[in-house]
Amino acid sequence: QKAVIVFRAVDPFWYDQSDTAVTYTVGSVAMATFFPIFPLTLLASEVFTSATITLSDDDIAYTAAWPRWTITGPGSGIVLRNITTGERISLSTVLAAGQGINVDTRPGVKTVKATGSGTNLYSDLSSDSSLWPLIRGTNSITVEMGGATAASSVVLTYKKRYLGA
């Protein structure tokens, strides 16, 4: 008897061993016409910046990377944009000092939860939000959060994915 064996991989990618993380915080910065290399330090009362994240093309086939966001208050009016793709994550949540939100965009996970309690905050997403990936090539990212203090931060974490060697 002959049989055909079919292997299916729900997630057929290799992942970096360690995370890549970018931190956006509030602080004081000298007058400059450009932002320094990460971590970015911004003026008081808001986290609002642009950054470029590149998933480069070399001899390994990179694919999209799915970010995880950790947002720590105080803050409100949170908007995370990928200008390159035109997608955004917009949250109506108002965070008090020490409160946080974890946004996980990975396939099969897709969650928006309060840090600590794990309360589901998915309903706080605007109707035009999408839990977007970082695409292959250059991603122009903007991060917005009003009412921030020195205790506020937004951390973007992701693992690069590879299709093969």
Side-chain angles (χ1 to χ4, degrees):
Q1 186 175 45
K2 292 183 181 182
V4 176
I5 298 175
V6 178
F7 294 99
R8 294 199 176 141
V10 175
D11 190 5
F13 299 98
W14 298 94
Y15 287 84
D16 268 356
Q17 231 177 348
S18 57
D19 289 330
T20 300
V22 180
T23 302
Y24 306 92
T25 61
V26 173
S28 59
V29 68
M31 294 298 283
T33 56
F34 65 94
F35 286 108
I37 301 301
F38 301 122
L40 300 176
T41 304
L42 306 168
L43 297 175
S45 82
E46 64 181 61
V47 174
F48 179 73
T49 188
S50 301
T52 301
I53 296 175
T54 303
L55 300 180
S56 63
D57 293 319
D58 60 10
D59 57 339
I60 298 175
Y62 286 96
T63 65
W66 296 89
R68 295 179 320 274
W69 299 88
T70 303
I71 304 159
T72 304
S76 61
I78 302 161
V79 182
L80 313 167
R81 297 179 202 270
N82 188 332
I83 303 300
T84 305
T85 63
E87 295 174 290
R88 72 187 204 141
I89 299 169
S90 179
L91 291 157
S92 62
T93 309
V94 176
L95 296 173
Q99 287 184 322
I101 301 174
N102 293 319
V103 178
D104 194 333
T105 68
R106 294 176 296 174
V109 181
K110 305 279 187 198
T111 58
V112 181
K113 294 184 176 183
T115 305
S117 70
T119 302
N120 186 349
L121 300 175
Y122 205 87
S123 62
D124 288 359
L125 289 171
S126 67
S127 61
D128 62 345
S129 289
S130 66
L131 300 179
W132 47 265
L134 297 169
I135 61 170
R136 196 172 163 179
T138 301
N139 293 266
S140 179
I141 307 297
T142 62
V143 176
E144 302 170 26
M145 182 166 71
T149 68
S152 305
S153 68
V154 178
V155 179
L156 162 64
T157 307
Y158 64 95
K159 287 187 185 226
K160 293 180 183 172
R161 302 182 330 155
Y162 309 95
L163 190 52

